[in-house]
Amino acid sequence: MGSRGLPRQKALALGGSILLALAAAIFAGAGIAVLLEGDDPAPAAPAGPDPTSSPTVPRTHTPTPAPTPTPDPVGAPPRNAGEALRAVERLAAAGGPVCRPALKSRWDADCLEADFDADGRPDSALLIPVAEGHGLDRAAVVVVRRATGGLSVFPPDRDADASALGRGAFLTGLRSGSGRATLQFVSRTCGAASCQAEVEVVEWDGTSWRGIGPSDLFDGLDQIVWSGSGAASQLTIHSLPAGPIAAGPMRGASLLFGLRDGRYRPLSSKQDAPVYLFHALLDADIIFDRGDFAAAVTAYTALLSDSPLRDWRAETGAPPGRPSLAAYARFRVAVALAASGAREPDIVRALDAAVLSAGTPVFAEAATAFRRGWQEGRSAYQGCIDATLYLKSAQDPLRAVFDYGYANVTKNYLDVCPL
């Protein structure tokens, strides 16, 4: 009777094959070669690294590239006008606005924008302090025209002024009637001991810059005032000169300028109120010379009182000048009274005061000569003829009385009694 299972030998053989296969699989997983019955030996595998160790691999560090520095368009403060021009050229080429806060914080520069060439776009003007040049508060003015990128530096042959006065005068406005903005600033011409200032007004005429400001040079410039606009603009300049002792006492004055024939030219001038007796005496002489004798008497008499006006000679260590100037004023009072037709007792009283004046003998003698001519000819005209004849012989002492330095007018013998 046959069995349902396999014959015993076949079953054993099959079971052994299965066990061998399982063992082979296990050993293969462990990396151990197993030869099954009937298989050919496999070639030996090349020796490899120890599976329990990791090879040493050198680490390579790649540094992060340093960022390329962005060029500084502002840079260090320029030292002269040439450096200022190149610095602004670099600034304009960098793009963006020319007027930027760093110019003030790093260069101490002032910057303005205006349409100088009338193309509808703002141009830039910079007042840049520089270290090289003459005197203090030196500067260069550089203008950038946006349309062309063209640069101009002012003034071409001297320094601009970066003092408080110069910065206040660094302006733009309509000052010519052309519709184009003008640029205003102060320039200086310096010598070994002092500087003179000029108020510059420049305008772009379509092809080049031209100056339309006053051509005057000022000592002691201390005030600049604009009024009006366009061609009707007016400029007032005040100066308070100061000079060496040889120049004598100085007196401030205001000058008014207006646009005439394409340039600002003087219209009028007005001197400051005098602080020195000598200048007050010259003011009284102007009244006398225009024939207003009554007003001249009042002006001269005021100088003979206890006046607060200063004696320049005494202040500089020289012998006081007040006595001689007072003697001259008394002589002029007598002449003015005679010329105005005053009462004879008043004229006589004035002549007595002049003759007895202790200031200087030259005017006492002149008063004596005037009295003689006035009495003989019964006229101030004849009195002046006799006085002038005497003064011609006394030119040296007369010159000494009116020697108040080269900056002031002096008088000769023909100026004392000009009737």
Side-chain angles (χ1 to χ4, degrees):
M1 178 173 171
S3 173
R4 294 180 184 176
L6 293 173
R8 179 177 180 81
Q9 291 83 0
K10 289 183 179 182
L12 290 173
L14 179 59
S17 297
I18 293 172
L19 290 172
L20 288 171
L22 289 171
I26 292 170
F27 288 132
I32 302 173
V34 178
L35 295 179
L36 299 179
E37 186 179 357
D39 290 337
D40 294 327
D50 183 351
T52 62
S53 63
S54 299
T56 301
V57 179
R59 291 187 177 183
T60 302
H61 174 70
T62 303
T64 303
T68 303
T70 302
D72 180 7
V74 177
R79 294 171 298 179
N80 51 52
E83 287 190 6
L85 184 63
R86 291 189 292 273
V88 175
E89 184 178 23
R90 181 179 65 245
L91 193 66
V98 173
C99 293
R100 56 186 75 188
L103 296 178
K104 188 65 177 177
S105 62
R106 293 169 60 181
W107 292 1
D108 195 23
D110 292 344
C111 197
L112 303 172
E113 291 189 338
D115 187 6
F116 295 118
D117 53 10
D119 68 347
R121 293 179 291 177
D123 306 306
S124 303
L126 300 92
L127 178 70
I128 305 171
V130 297
E132 298 175 358
H134 299 286
L136 301 174
D137 300 315
R138 300 173 293 270
V141 173
V142 180
V143 177
V144 184
R145 291 174 47 236
R146 179 175 293 186
T148 62
L151 279 77
S152 303
V153 63
F154 303 98
D157 54 355
R158 52 193 182 276
D159 295 320
D161 184 1
S163 68
L165 175 73
R167 290 181 187 272
F170 182 58
L171 300 168
T172 66
L174 301 176
R175 301 297 181 195
S176 69
S178 69
R180 296 187 178 95
T182 57
L183 176 64
Q184 295 98 244
F185 60 94
V186 175
S187 67
R188 301 186 303 181
T189 301
C190 295
S194 63
C195 294
Q196 292 181 304
E198 182 175 351
V199 179
E200 306 257 14
V201 184
V202 295
E203 180 186 41
W204 180 258
D205 65 5
T207 57
S208 62
W209 294 94
R210 65 187 185 96
I212 63 173
S215 57
D216 305 65
L217 294 175
F218 296 92
D219 295 311
L221 178 66
D222 65 351
Q223 191 175 42
I224 301 167
V225 178
W226 285 95
S227 60
S229 64
S233 297
Q234 290 189 332
L235 170 64
T236 301
I237 296 176
H238 181 268
S239 62
L240 189 61
I245 291 179
M250 309 297 282
R251 186 175 184 180
S254 294
L255 277 76
L256 180 65
F257 295 85
L259 192 64
R260 298 289 184 274
D261 301 323
R263 195 174 189 99
Y264 279 87
R265 305 182 189 278
L267 300 179
S268 63
S269 65
K270 181 180 180 181
Q271 289 186 313
D272 292 352
V275 296
Y276 290 105
L277 177 62
F278 177 73
H279 290 145
L281 199 69
L282 296 181
D283 288 351
D285 285 347
I286 292 173
I287 299 172
F288 180 99
D289 291 343
R290 68 173 179 240
D292 191 351
F293 298 118
V297 169
T298 300
Y300 288 124
T301 303
L303 303 181
L304 297 172
S305 62
D306 187 14
S307 170
L309 293 170
R310 293 153 56 183
D311 185 340
W312 179 81
R313 285 188 176 171
E315 289 182 0
T316 58
R322 189 181 299 273
S324 295
L325 296 180
Y328 170 75
R330 290 188 182 93
F331 173 77
R332 281 279 200 155
V333 166
V335 175
L337 287 171
S340 67
R343 296 186 314 117
E344 184 171 336
D346 294 336
I347 299 172
V348 171
R349 190 179 304 111
L351 284 169
D352 288 343
V355 170
L356 297 174
S357 176
T360 178
V362 68
F363 295 116
E365 294 295 334
T368 299
F370 180 87
R371 185 200 297 270
R372 183 172 56 252
W374 172 68
Q375 288 176 337
E376 292 176 357
R378 306 307 300 173
S379 72
Y381 173 76
Q382 186 60 51
C384 274
I385 290 178
D386 285 16
T388 301
L389 287 173
Y390 161 72
L391 291 169
K392 185 177 180 180
S393 66
Q395 293 187 59
D396 287 343
L398 184 65
R399 192 178 299 111
V401 170
F402 294 107
D403 183 9
Y404 275 76
Y406 63 78
N408 289 282
V409 299
T410 187
K411 291 183 180 294
N412 62 38
Y413 72 98
L414 295 173
D415 300 322
V416 176
C417 201
L419 294 180

